[in-house]
Amino acid sequence: MENVNLVELTVEAGIAFVTISRPKALNALSTAVMAELEERLDAIENDPEVQVVIVTGAGDKSFVAGADIVEMKDKTVMEGREFSAFGNRVFSRLANLRQPTIAAVNGFALGGGCELALACDIRIGAENAVFGQPEVGLGIIPGFGGTQRLSRLVGLGYAKEMIFTGRTVKAEEAKTIGLLNRVVTSEALRDEAVKMAQKIQKNAPFAVEFSKEVINLGYEMEINAALKLEAEQFGSLFSTEDQTQGMEAFVAKQKATFNRK
Ligand code: CAA
């Protein structure tokens, strides 16, 4: 039985740091890791102090090197389906977390690791970031959302190339195809992720949360229904003190301070 704390959670100044921590297996996602990740996501969702989440991997070599192949190798059809459904549940929970999420990709992001990064809202990569969906080389397909979220982010052509060939994509190419928002040195990765989190934190929290919700829900909807949702949530924000504060501060040529009210 592995130790607890396969997924570390610390909260500093409103930013939750989630670190997949299983370095001996390059942070591979076992069932135990995924179960802990789900618990941490519950804690984050229910913590009013947390405004932004940064997801990373322990060490400087690997973000996450995929689902645990040793654990998967003897699975039956039903167990395979259950494992994929479980992974999809946890990553959808991450994708739909009320707070914005930033993946700080420090090395290998393969298979389930690429899918973990895809379930975050924004991806910043170190120069040694390497993405890939090598599942077909193992006789399976991506099972934690890769067949769906990769094409939604980089388009069908690139997603199919990556998944059919299993080839790896390094940081600069990942940026070119939209898989990474930016590339920084390994040393600067954490600071850059924190800087981006702080920029988000300066804005009205409900407005940030609502924008995430409307973008995510609207992306799966017919455009007119999605625009109706936008109008509804746009209107809802006029009930918040943060909207009053934000607009009054603008008119008075002052800086707004938001209180999540
Ligand atoms: N599962 C289990 N163990 C893993 C692992 C994984 N996905 N990735 C790495 N490890 C383990 C290795 O077995 C090794 O353990 P031992 O020291 O006990 O032998 C340890 O981590 C270090 O790995 P390597 O010695 O292989 O390190 P390397 O630097 O030579 O290679 C690597 C690094 C290229 C990432 C290589 O480890 C690798 O190819 N890993 C597997 C990547 C992969 O195929 N991921 C997809 C998994 S399937 C999936 O994720 C399905 C899904 O969609 C849900």
Side-chain angles (χ1 to χ4, degrees):
M1 189 69 185
E2 286 177 299
N3 294 334
V4 285
N5 271 353
L6 294 163
V7 182
E8 291 159 14
L9 171 61
T10 57
V11 180
E12 288 166 37
I15 304 173
F17 294 85
V18 175
T19 307
I20 311 297
S21 185
R22 206 184 157 216
K24 70 176 165 55
L26 301 182
N27 306 323
L29 302 170
S30 58
T31 301
V33 172
M34 294 299 283
E36 264 194 51
L37 177 59
E38 193 171 35
E39 280 174 26
R40 302 289 177 264
L41 296 177
D42 275 338
I44 289 168
E45 181 89 53
N46 294 312
D47 184 342
E49 297 302 312
V50 177
Q51 291 169 305
V52 186
V53 181
I54 295 176
V55 178
T56 195
D60 51 16
K61 184 177 170 182
S62 182
F63 175 70
V64 163
D68 190 315
I69 299 167
V70 180
E71 184 187 314
M72 274 186 299
K73 119 181 130 52
D74 297 320
K75 284 199 186 303
T76 62
V77 171
M78 285 314 290
E79 286 166 349
R81 283 184 185 148
E82 273 167 22
F83 190 56
S84 175
F86 173 50
N88 276 325
R89 185 180 83 208
V90 177
F91 283 8
S92 289
R93 183 101 174 73
L94 172 62
N96 296 318
L97 211 61
R98 71 178 169 79
Q99 300 95 337
T101 53
I102 301 169
V105 182
N106 55 322
F108 294 114
L110 301 176
C114 185
E115 292 164 307
L116 176 63
L118 289 168
C120 293
D121 297 313
I122 295 164
R123 284 146 293 280
I124 303 178
E127 286 158 334
N128 70 338
V130 177
F131 292 86
Q133 297 283 174
E135 286 86 349
V136 293
L138 296 164
I140 55 170
I141 62 171
F144 290 176
T147 61
Q148 304 309 309
R149 290 199 179 94
L150 186 60
S151 55
R152 282 164 168 78
L153 189 65
V154 305
L156 281 171
Y158 250 105
K160 285 176 179 170
E161 179 189 332
M162 283 179 67
I163 292 172
F164 297 169
T165 65
R167 84 169 171 91
T168 51
V169 168
K170 291 189 181 148
E172 278 308 324
E173 185 186 0
K175 183 163 170 266
T176 312
I177 64 174
L179 194 41
L180 279 175
N181 290 55
R182 66 189 62 169
V183 181
V184 298
T185 62
S186 295
E187 297 73 40
L189 182 61
R190 186 184 156 101
D191 285 355
E192 285 295 321
V194 168
K195 262 193 234 163
M196 191 181 285
Q198 288 169 339
K199 276 200 180 134
I200 296 170
Q201 281 180 303
K202 288 206 175 86
N203 297 315
F206 282 130
V208 172
E209 285 175 28
F210 277 37
S211 62
K212 171 167 174 172
E213 191 188 22
V214 173
I215 293 168
N216 278 1
L217 287 174
Y219 202 76
E220 308 301 332
M221 290 163 78
E222 185 275 321
I223 184 141
N224 289 310
L227 291 173
K228 192 159 178 251
L229 177 69
E230 181 185 83
E232 271 167 28
Q233 296 302 60
F234 180 86
S236 303
L237 286 162
F238 285 83
S239 67
T240 63
E241 284 179 25
D242 284 348
Q243 174 272 325
T244 311
Q245 184 17 243
M247 293 196 183
E248 279 178 357
F250 176 82
V251 173
K253 301 198 184 307
Q254 289 168 355
K255 259 196 156 164
T257 44
F258 296 113
N259 298 309
R260 197 182 159 73
K261 283 188 179 157

